Amino acid sequence: MTDKKLIAGNWKMNGSIEDAKSLIADIANGLHREPELLDKADFLVCPPFVHINIIRHALFTLDTVDFGAQDCSAHENGAYTGDISAAMLADAQCSYVILGHSERRHGLGETNQMIADKAACAHENNLTTIICVGETEAERDAGKEIDVVLEQLEGSIPSGVDAKNLVIAYEPVWAIGTGKTAMSKDVDVMHRFIRECLQNNIHNGLEDFENIRILYGGSVKPDNANVLLNIPNVDGALIGGASLKAQDFLGIARAV
Ligand code: PGA
């Protein structure tokens, strides 16, 4: 297990250029004032595509926060109107890309195969992927959450992964943006299950399965972060709403 947590902000489709500038300045200044937070966690922000360059400039002289994107194309380049390639993200100095978020799986019909293809492109371009998995409320009610997550893991992780280029985010769909969080015992069971899958199921077992970070996501806030981040196999958090306020984002880091 990695000793440092990853605290990742998914800014989704929010804010203006000015908002992005002031949010990253507040986060970077906060980390400058509390450098001990950097011993406990690595930090990542994933702004909308058009704000990536702003963040890159803001972080030019700082290496306290990594940045990445919220999606990329499954194609190298060419006639794909509206898409952004992994090579473009790498060229813009992104180090991470979130893939298979439930808002894309369920909202836009992304399949496991599409996510695996995107991830393969991302890895070829030296990006670390955060591959999201998680069950809907109906699937949990039907007792199918383990089967669902297994299928997503098996279907959306391409070959050639290791702890340097792969992070998993377990995000129960019903917990995203709802203020509901999964119960500690359910998070414990699911994260342990994901670790076992990395050990045994994914491409016949990954050698450094122990070091692959498994994040929890879904209504993580400063007041529940301590409990969630202390569950075994929870190696960090993927944060939506609370990542849009520097104080909340840093508050979650303080809870590590
Ligand atoms: P939330 O979003 O923290 O607003 O629930 C999490 C996510 O979608 O990654």
Side-chain angles (χ1 to χ4, degrees), residues 5-14 20 23-24 27 31 41-49 51-52 55 59 64-71 94 96-99 101 103 130 132 167 169 171 215-218 220-221 229 235-246 248-250 252-253:
K5 306 277 187 197
L6 176 62
I7 303 297
N10 173 9
W11 291 2
K12 306 195 181 181
M13 193 176 72
N14 288 297
L23 182 51
I24 198 63
I27 291 170
L31 290 172
D42 292 326
F43 294 87
L44 167 69
V45 295
C46 296
F49 289 129
H51 297 164
I52 286 173
I55 301 304
L59 295 173
T64 50
V65 185
D66 282 319
F67 60 92
Q70 301 167 19
D71 185 40
C94 288
Y96 285 81
V97 59
I98 299 170
L99 294 173
H101 190 280
E103 286 148 18
I130 300 180
C132 304
V167 174
E171 301 202 298
L215 312 183
Y216 172 80
V220 179
K221 307 275 181 245
L229 290 166
D235 305 309
L238 182 56
I239 307 152
S243 73
L244 296 172
K245 290 192 192 127
D248 286 353
F249 190 63
L250 296 171
I252 292 168

Side-chain angles (χ1 to χ4, degrees), residues 7 10 16 28 39 49 77 83 90 131 158 168 201 219 221 235 241 245 252:
I7 303 297
N10 173 9
S16 62
D39 299 332
F49 289 129
N77 54 55
D83 276 2
I131 297 186
I168 303 292
N201 301 56
S219 298
K221 307 275 181 245
D235 305 309
K245 290 192 192 127
I252 292 168

